[in-house]
Amino acid sequence: MAQMDLRVRLLGKVMGLFSVSRKSDAQVLADQRRTIGHNPAVDWLLGGLAPGVDVRNETAAGAEGRIPIRIYRPRDAAGPLPLVVLIHGGGWSLGTLDIYDGIGSTIARDAGAVVVSLAYRLAPAHRWPAAAEDCYAALCDVAERAHHWAADAGRVAVTGDSAGGNLAAVLTLMSRDRSGPAIAFQGLIYPATDLTMRSPSIEENAKAPLLSKPDMLRYRSLYLPHQEDYDEPYASPLLAPDHTGLPPALIQVAEHDPLRDDGLRYAEALRAAGVPVRVTTYVGMPHGYLAFPRLCRSAPQALAELTAELRRQLAPSGAP
């Protein structure tokens, strides 16, 4: 097992002071109302907007009303581009469009794609399946309107990290089951796939930095308060009875992550169903490493792997 960098361990100590496991519902709701926005320190830490990308804010259909979306398109790119739907993490209860500007704009630039980032409704005010249904409604809407952003609705991918990886995986099931937009590829970054929490890595990394077992239990209670829902496929995509017909996947996991085996077990389930899967384990990394490109040495490599795979999987038919 690889040792974590000192700066990653220090980051974990700092982030641990704000652990969600210590917060009431009211405190989580108060955190949602605080906006970080952009400033030099935050942009240095999270990466900031990639140069050469145009950004615009719009709305899309949600399950019960419009939700905010942010569109990233590489400046001066010619012709219809692939469409990538980006779903942020944050335990289904945190996360904003601003925080994901670095990831969204880098994917747009380096994958040569139109990226649409979704601001779905958050728990605990909106519990499962609100986030999943918002993302599915938005996927259908943006696929239908892809031509407005010079994007190709025939080349659609979904991607997300952590809770966003859970929702991206759920979207592929929903779209298959409901005859929704055809999804060509799924990029799942340390996804939560089994909310019954049966993965051995949860105990192995119970005290890991950035995400601990108590954090996981608290996030689950905010989003999915009823035990009888833990094994619902649109909550726990690993537990779906059938994974056939799902799109090819890249699954990235972190060695020191309670969710590591959620990703590895999901890869096994997809492969058993005949779905092509590429899996990468980033050694020495904790959960959430992609959000901290200045501090986590594997973050740039992981994002480069994701964008390269998006380019390959979403290339126009007949392209080399």
Side-chain angles (χ1 to χ4, degrees):
M1 181 172 286
Q3 192 78 5
M4 277 184 287
D5 288 346
L6 174 60
R7 55 188 176 178
V8 173
R9 297 200 299 271
L10 291 174
L11 175 65
K13 293 282 189 185
V14 173
M15 298 295 286
L17 299 174
F18 307 97
S19 171
V20 72
S21 66
R22 302 189 181 113
K23 295 183 178 181
S24 67
D25 286 13
Q27 289 171 317
V28 172
L29 290 168
D31 287 345
Q32 292 173 4
R33 291 191 290 270
R34 297 189 187 99
T35 55
I36 295 177
H38 287 280
N39 62 61
V42 170
D43 287 349
W44 181 88
L45 183 66
L46 302 180
L49 277 166
V53 177
D54 292 325
V55 183
R56 59 193 290 183
N57 292 319
E58 294 192 22
T59 64
E64 297 183 7
R66 309 292 290 180
I67 64 170
I69 62 173
R70 185 164 294 169
I71 300 123
Y72 309 88
R73 195 180 199 282
R75 193 169 301 140
D76 302 325
L81 302 179
L83 177 66
V84 177
V85 175
L86 171 64
I87 308 172
H88 70 73
W92 308 277
S93 57
L94 298 170
T96 66
L97 295 176
D98 285 346
I99 290 173
Y100 279 73
D101 272 342
I103 293 173
S105 57
T106 301
I107 292 174
R109 182 192 66 191
D110 295 350
V114 173
V115 175
V116 180
S117 183
L118 309 181
Y120 53 87
R121 290 173 296 163
L122 299 176
H126 305 283
R127 302 189 191 271
W128 181 85
E133 294 294 350
D134 273 355
C135 290
Y136 180 70
L139 169 69
C140 294
D141 186 23
V142 300
E144 186 176 342
R145 294 193 289 138
H147 61 281
H148 288 292
W149 310 301
D152 182 357
R155 292 184 287 153
V156 177
V158 293
T159 189
D161 68 317
S162 192
N166 166 276
L167 292 168
V170 167
L171 275 191
T172 67
L173 290 169
M174 286 180 157
S175 205
R176 180 200 65 183
D177 297 346
R178 300 175 181 181
S179 300
I183 299 173
F185 175 74
Q186 53 182 322
L188 310 181
I189 306 160
Y190 33 82
T193 65
D194 179 5
L195 298 191
T196 68
M197 293 179 58
R198 295 174 189 157
S199 286
S201 56
I202 293 173
E203 296 301 330
E204 179 186 331
N205 296 309
K207 297 180 180 179
L210 300 184
L211 182 70
S212 65
K213 182 179 178 181
D215 292 333
M216 289 182 60
L217 289 167
R218 182 62 179 133
Y219 282 128
R220 183 179 67 177
S221 73
L222 290 165
Y223 180 55
L224 205 70
H226 304 300
Q227 184 174 350
E228 61 266 27
D229 295 328
Y230 292 173
D231 59 0
E232 287 287 341
Y234 294 165
S236 296
L238 177 63
L239 305 183
D242 179 15
H243 295 95
T244 59
L246 296 180
L250 167 67
I251 300 178
Q252 298 175 325
V253 300
E255 181 183 18
H256 300 287
D257 184 357
L259 285 174
R260 182 194 65 217
D261 293 348
D262 269 34
L264 298 179
R265 291 168 64 211
Y266 197 57
E268 291 173 1
L270 292 177
R271 283 175 175 148
V275 177
V277 183
R278 173 182 175 135
V279 179
T280 307
T281 300
Y282 282 92
V283 298
M285 288 294 103
H287 184 84
Y289 65 86
L290 196 69
F292 304 101
R294 307 285 188 181
L295 299 178
C296 296
R297 66 179 184 274
S298 293
Q301 179 185 352
L303 194 51
E305 180 188 33
L306 174 62
T307 56
E309 197 67 9
L310 283 163
R311 272 191 177 275
R312 186 175 75 86
Q313 295 284 351
L314 300 177
S317 179

